[in-house]
Amino acid sequence: MTSATSSADLPEGWRLDGEQLVHEAELHGWKVTVVTLLNAPWDGPASIRIDPPDDPQARVVTDGITAELMRSMPLAEIRRTARELRARLGRVTGEDAAGVVLDRVETEREYAFDGP
């Protein structure tokens, strides 16, 4: 990570938190936080957290954390952006360690797919 790069230089919804690249978004009323470790030997998320809105009376579109909610998470786009940001920060894992990022994940096999 370079000292010239700050969270202000990152796309909306992304921030640096020490050695973590964090993406925060709202999805059907739920708060989604995806963390990528900058020092990890892989590209892609290290953790995903889904929380209800801060206001318990706020309307959410789903009835709890459902498979539909999970499938609607744009993980391929998040992985692609994280990979680009890691490269910009000088934290690339290398071609051999980087997995294939699918444009759209639809089947159970694709959810489990983590590389060539």
Side-chain angles (χ1 to χ4, degrees):
M1 180 167 44
T2 64
S3 58
T5 303
S6 70
S7 291
D9 299 329
L10 301 177
E12 184 178 344
W14 290 87
R15 66 181 167 82
L16 285 172
D17 186 4
E19 287 294 303
Q20 298 179 343
L21 184 58
V22 180
H23 176 65
E24 296 173 313
E26 183 181 305
L27 189 62
H28 303 292
W30 295 83
K31 297 185 313 183
V32 177
T33 305
V34 180
V35 175
T36 300
L37 303 176
L38 291 176
N39 59 356
W42 63 82
D43 282 322
S47 69
I48 299 171
R49 181 177 171 146
I50 303 171
D51 292 303
D54 291 331
D55 177 5
Q57 301 303 317
R59 184 179 184 289
V60 293
V61 179
T62 62
D63 186 24
I65 299 172
T66 62
E68 179 184 355
L69 175 71
M70 298 294 290
R71 280 192 290 275
S72 68
M73 224 179 295
L75 285 178
E77 180 183 331
I78 292 169
R79 284 187 68 165
R80 193 172 11 268
T81 302
R83 181 180 290 159
E84 291 170 6
L85 293 175
R86 285 183 67 172
R88 189 186 320 168
L89 295 168
R91 305 300 273 281
V92 182
T93 60
E95 286 184 16
D96 294 338
V100 174
V101 178
L102 302 173
D103 289 330
R104 181 159 173 86
V105 179
E106 296 177 341
T107 68
E108 289 182 30
R109 182 181 186 286
E110 290 171 339
Y111 275 104
F113 186 70
D114 190 33

